[in-house]
Amino acid sequence: MKAILVILISTFMCGSISAQRNAADTGILKNPNSGQKVIINEATRASDSILNDLERKIFGYNVFHNPNTTFTPNLNMATPKNYVVGPGDILTVQVYGVAQSTYTLTVNNEGNVSIIDIGIAHVGGLTIEAVKALLEKRLALRYSGMNGSNPNTFIEVSLSNIRSIKVNIVGEVGTPGSYVFPSYTNIFNALFAAGGPTVKGTFRDIQLYRSNKLVGQIDLYDYLVNGKASGNIRLDDNDVILVRTATNQVEIKGEIRIPGIFEMRTNETFADLLKFSGGFSGKAYKELVKVQRKGMVDYQAFDLSVSQFSKARLLDGDQIVVDVIAARYNNRVQINGSVNRP
């Protein structure tokens, strides 16, 4: 009886501890699209990061599916000088120097702000730097210290509330649709929110349309390989991000530092692929690589020598294999048996 009682108590205590851990590990998130609460525990978070074999092979795919990575826009940074003001923004205008005052100005749907005792100023569509110049000119009517060659009163303009924008993300992305973002959001932020390109989607030619005009194209390889984010444009209301289908994917495997599936542009060669994949491993046979290519009815196999690396164009479906160097020596002598150091 004592043994049975001990087992029952142990089972009850373990069950309670397990329940407490499950409750502690459970997070409650709110789905912004449906408004429903979604319960997520640690097991669910872990399963979200599991990729299948094809997804692991695609270069750059894991960047958008890493639970420890976020592209959430930084809302605490200083207002960028090229930030374009629009309806819904709230501006804080600080007058300092000999005269001191603070104005809180809300940009209305027409892009105007109303300044007490001065009137209406149209700021919609202007950068924050241009808005500062405009307001400085208007406020100079009230503060004489802003005029002249030696002014003693100055202004500072910043955002105290950031408006929301709607962005449409379509094509080969994880979750296409309409998204509401803070106006600081850029293309990387939006792509991450939409789950990034799918296994069929392009990483090399992501297009941004504004008012039905193409205003930007971004090559994610420039960021993934070179760390450059020059094409990472800040988004505007009603922008459309289009991720088309990838048209030229090749696979490289064997003795390479980053084996996987890479997307190639028509003007790129095997030398570019070698750069994308991190180069040969230390055990690679570098003088020759093997290529398998799909023909009309069957496969073709051929070799690329070093002299062809910078000339050879790769086609969709090509498979490149880098062999290991032969495990033999051409200048070694071995001595074994009754010696101190065989």
Side-chain angles (χ1 to χ4, degrees):
M1 288 296 292
K2 288 183 178 179
I4 295 173
L5 183 59
V6 170
I7 292 172
L8 288 173
I9 292 173
S10 299
T11 304
F12 175 78
M13 291 179 66
C14 290
S16 299
I17 293 170
S18 176
Q20 290 172 5
R21 286 177 178 168
N22 288 337
D25 290 342
T26 298
I28 299 179
L29 304 179
K30 194 172 184 181
N31 186 331
N33 295 321
S34 65
Q36 297 176 346
K37 290 183 177 178
V38 183
I39 298 177
I40 298 180
N41 56 34
E42 292 301 320
T44 307
R45 291 192 184 98
S47 67
D48 288 342
S49 64
I50 296 175
L51 305 179
N52 61 39
D53 291 341
L54 176 60
E55 291 168 343
R56 288 192 191 95
K57 287 182 180 180
I58 296 176
F59 180 68
Y61 189 89
N62 63 332
V63 172
F64 295 95
H65 297 82
N66 185 345
N68 299 318
T69 302
T70 178
F71 281 91
T72 303
N74 181 10
L75 304 181
N76 295 321
M77 66 179 182
T79 306
K81 291 183 178 180
N82 62 348
Y83 176 83
V84 178
V85 174
D89 282 335
I90 298 179
L91 306 176
T92 298
V93 181
Q94 188 75 39
V95 179
Y96 64 96
V98 172
Q100 296 188 9
S101 185
T102 300
Y103 295 86
T104 300
L105 308 176
T106 301
V107 184
N108 64 19
N109 292 335
E110 285 72 38
N112 298 326
V113 294
S114 177
I115 309 172
I116 298 174
D117 297 331
I118 293 179
I120 302 296
H122 184 76
V123 298
L126 300 179
T127 64
I128 199 74
E129 197 170 28
V131 169
K132 179 182 177 181
L134 174 63
L135 295 180
E136 192 171 36
K137 186 176 180 181
R138 299 298 298 272
L139 288 170
L141 300 174
R142 182 171 184 178
Y143 301 97
S144 59
M146 291 183 181
N147 297 316
S149 59
N150 190 25
N152 56 27
T153 303
F154 312 92
I155 70 167
E156 190 66 42
V157 180
S158 61
L159 285 172
S160 59
N161 185 67
I162 303 168
R163 72 184 188 275
S164 296
I165 59 173
K166 178 182 280 189
V167 176
N168 298 294
I169 308 175
V170 296
E172 290 293 338
V173 291
T175 311
S178 295
Y179 289 80
V180 177
F181 295 120
S183 55
Y184 276 2
T185 303
N186 54 42
I187 293 182
F188 284 2
N189 303 146
L191 283 176
F192 187 80
T198 66
V199 293
K200 298 178 182 178
T202 178
F203 281 72
R204 308 298 309 274
D205 186 21
I206 294 170
Q207 300 175 340
L208 174 64
Y209 287 87
R210 183 170 296 162
S211 300
N212 297 321
K213 294 181 181 179
L214 181 64
V215 296
Q217 292 174 275
I218 189 167
D219 182 356
L220 289 176
Y221 277 26
D222 206 23
Y223 171 73
L224 297 170
V225 177
N226 303 315
K228 297 179 181 178
S230 54
N232 193 17
I233 302 171
R234 188 175 295 112
L235 300 175
D236 204 351
D237 197 31
N238 292 318
D239 277 356
V240 176
I241 297 173
L242 174 61
V243 181
R244 298 184 185 275
T245 304
T247 57
N248 191 17
Q249 291 178 316
V250 303
E251 182 177 4
I252 185 169
K253 51 189 177 180
E255 292 301 323
I256 203 77
R257 297 196 184 279
I258 310 175
I261 297 174
F262 294 81
E263 188 178 350
M264 305 295 294
R265 289 179 165 173
T266 53
N267 62 336
E268 291 176 336
T269 64
F270 176 76
D272 295 302
L273 176 61
L274 201 59
K275 178 183 177 182
F276 299 153
S277 57
F280 293 114
S281 73
K283 298 180 180 179
Y285 178 59
K286 303 177 183 179
E287 298 300 315
L288 205 69
V289 298
K290 299 176 181 178
V291 180
Q292 295 179 1
R293 176 169 295 171
K294 293 183 297 183
M296 295 296 294
V297 294
D298 51 14
Y299 281 87
Q300 299 173 344
F302 57 92
D303 296 331
L304 289 180
S305 61
V306 174
S307 62
Q308 297 173 303
F309 284 0
S310 59
K311 302 174 185 177
R313 304 285 177 85
L314 300 172
L315 303 181
D316 186 43
D318 281 357
Q319 288 191 347
I320 300 95
V321 179
V322 180
D323 281 335
V324 65
I325 195 167
R328 63 174 184 266
Y329 298 84
N330 61 11
N331 63 347
R332 184 176 71 170
V333 175
Q334 290 180 283
I335 181 168
N336 295 296
S338 299
V339 291
N340 287 330
R341 296 188 179 91

